[in-house]
Amino acid sequence: MSPKPDSKTVTQLVPPAQAAELERQIAAHTDAYFKKTKEIVQRYGDKTVTYAVFMRRPVIFCPRLMVEWIEKVAAARGVSVRIDLLHEEGTWVGAGEPLLYISGAMSQIVDLETIYLQKLGPACVAAYNAYSMCCDMPNARFLAMDARHCAGAEMAELMAYAASVGGRAARRDVGAAGFIGNATDATAHYFGNDKGFGTMPHALIGYAGSTLRAAELYAETFTGEQLTVLVDYYGQEVTDALAVCNRFPDAANEGRLAVRLDTHGGRYIEGLDPQASYAVLERHVPNAIRQYRTEQELRWLVGTGVSAAAIYHMRASLDRAGFINVKIVASSGFNAAKCKVMASVSAPIDIVGTGSYLPDSWTETYATADIVAYDGQPSVKVGREFLLRKPGG
């Protein structure tokens, strides 16, 4: 489903048991003042109302999960709810612009606001961040690896959906490779996949006793699969990467082998220190450190962890050994700002593993809904007149 600007009315019924469970969930998770308002309206007379939904910051529009939930509730209640989407899924929408209108009997939709806003705001901001990352690094493929950082399965679904929408929008707008998959089976379908992607965590290397042995165990268990090997466990990124390449030369030469840099920020990768890091960038992108940089940007360039210098250093080490087709996967803190810095120096990254498109500030994810019409008469609180329908809209 890819919602487009349109109008739809939902009236389909659902089985009574499912409807009862849905009502229980709504009652348990809706703000009390909405439930009290519902009782008042039911007692003193219903009105047909129209809600305008908006956000206070620019976003990429991600309405699908919210729309599906409202449709489900309307079907369970056997009532008509009209949803007017004002933008296509994946569209950039400015701060304060109405995203959609929801119309129906006030008694039937006033108690839905808490939950449907939860399903809209976070996804829109995460999609915006994902879109920005993909646009800044259009040649890199992205993997959504956020599930461990989410507050439960519902949030994980919102974030996977958002990454897929943001990635598709970047593909549409700038020809970016975008997000090609994620790490869990449950949400792989958002990326057109049957299963989540991934090969090994650090735990497997600790279990195996060496990076090379972990690679062997994986290859023996999952014959013929693409092999991506973590190389930072023992602090010997280059040594262990080359050992794996030499052990699997066919996979290396055929492009079926990748090394993943995930070095934490407490140390430099093997072979680098501050002076060596500056020297690496001077060889490959001599103008990079001559530009003005913030302290954080400078750290991403030549600091500890997975820096631009670290990535260039690994690429050069692989190439010198003749492994020019081995891919580099970079992870560890790749948010929109870090991706922009990596793009500015053309860091040779093939795949980015990231969960850092998740909103940095949760307050930015708050979506808001205001009633803008009662029984067809425009009315909204002072200061929100911008939400009123435009003539002919």
Side-chain angles (χ1 to χ4, degrees), residues 94-147:
E97 291 186 51
L99 298 169
L100 68 150
Y101 292 111
I102 304 169
S103 302
M106 188 173 181
S107 65
Q108 298 300 321
I109 61 176
V110 70
D111 60 336
L112 306 185
E113 180 176 332
T114 302
I115 298 175
Y116 71 64
L117 292 182
Q118 292 173 349
K119 297 179 181 297
L120 179 69
C124 289
V125 177
Y128 181 95
N129 291 341
Y131 173 81
S132 299
M133 297 162 74
C134 293
C135 287
D136 285 333
M137 300 181 67
N139 296 323
R141 293 172 291 165
F142 284 77
L143 285 175
M145 301 174 67
D146 57 278

Side-chain angles (χ1 to χ4, degrees), residues 28-338:
H29 297 287
T30 288
D31 288 307
Y33 46 79
F34 290 135
K35 294 191 291 184
K36 290 179 176 178
T37 300
K38 180 184 179 80
E39 289 189 35
I40 293 170
V41 170
Q42 289 175 324
R43 180 174 181 178
Y44 290 98
D46 219 341
K47 291 187 177 183
T48 298
V49 297
T50 296
Y51 281 85
V53 182
F54 71 101
M55 296 188 68
R56 294 174 176 82
R57 53 150 291 164
V59 296
I60 296 293
F61 192 36
C62 286
R64 188 191 317 180
L65 299 185
M66 182 200 72
V67 168
E68 290 176 350
W69 185 79
I70 294 175
E71 289 176 343
K72 183 178 180 180
V73 174
R77 292 180 172 179
V79 300
S80 296
V81 175
R82 181 184 174 94
I83 303 171
D84 297 327
L85 301 176
L86 304 182
H87 312 274
E88 291 190 9
E89 180 182 78
T91 300
W92 184 94
V93 184
E97 291 186 51
L99 298 169
L100 68 150
Y101 292 111
I102 304 169
S103 302
M106 188 173 181
S107 65
Q108 298 300 321
I109 61 176
V110 70
D111 60 336
L112 306 185
E113 180 176 332
T114 302
I115 298 175
Y116 71 64
L117 292 182
Q118 292 173 349
K119 297 179 181 297
L120 179 69
C124 289
V125 177
Y128 181 95
N129 291 341
Y131 173 81
S132 299
M133 297 162 74
C134 293
C135 287
D136 285 333
M137 300 181 67
N139 296 323
R141 293 172 291 165
F142 284 77
L143 285 175
M145 301 174 67
D146 57 278
R148 291 178 301 126
H149 307 301
C150 290
E154 186 173 5
M155 180 182 172
E157 182 173 18
L158 282 169
M159 296 300 102
Y161 163 56
S164 70
V165 172
R168 283 197 302 272
R171 193 175 302 126
R172 175 198 66 209
D173 291 350
V174 302
F179 278 79
I180 61 170
N182 70 321
T184 64
D185 293 351
T187 52
H189 63 92
Y190 287 115
F191 305 90
N193 302 319
D194 295 326
K195 293 184 176 294
F197 291 167
T199 53
M200 64 181 66
H202 292 96
L204 179 62
I205 300 170
Y207 165 81
S210 75
T211 301
L212 178 58
R213 184 56 184 152
E216 291 173 337
L217 293 176
Y218 187 91
E220 291 165 9
T221 305
F222 301 100
T223 307
E225 279 197 10
Q226 173 81 24
L227 176 59
T228 300
V229 183
L230 274 166
V231 294
D232 64 283
Y233 191 96
Y234 293 103
Q236 301 177 139
E237 287 87 350
V238 174
T239 299
D240 284 350
L242 294 179
V244 172
C245 291
N246 284 313
R247 173 63 178 81
F248 299 98
D250 290 342
N253 293 329
E254 294 168 8
R256 294 185 289 109
L257 178 62
V259 296
R260 177 180 161 203
L261 291 178
D262 194 51
T263 307
H264 64 79
R267 65 174 183 83
Y268 284 88
I269 78 163
E270 179 187 18
L272 290 188
D273 56 24
Q275 184 176 353
S277 296
Y278 276 96
V280 167
L281 284 194
E282 183 66 23
R283 285 195 300 274
H284 294 280
V285 277
N287 291 323
I289 56 178
R290 293 186 174 89
Q291 303 173 46
Y292 175 77
R293 302 282 176 173
T294 66
E295 183 176 351
Q296 179 60 75
E297 289 174 333
L298 191 62
R299 179 171 180 172
W300 286 330
L301 287 172
V302 294
T304 54
V306 186
S307 66
I311 296 162
Y312 268 112
H313 178 57
M314 177 59 75
R315 182 73 269 164
S317 299
L318 292 169
D319 291 352
R320 280 195 301 269
F323 299 116
I324 61 174
N325 292 324
V326 172
K327 306 291 192 298
I328 293 179
V329 179
S331 54
S332 186
F334 274 77
N335 57 19
K338 185 170 183 177

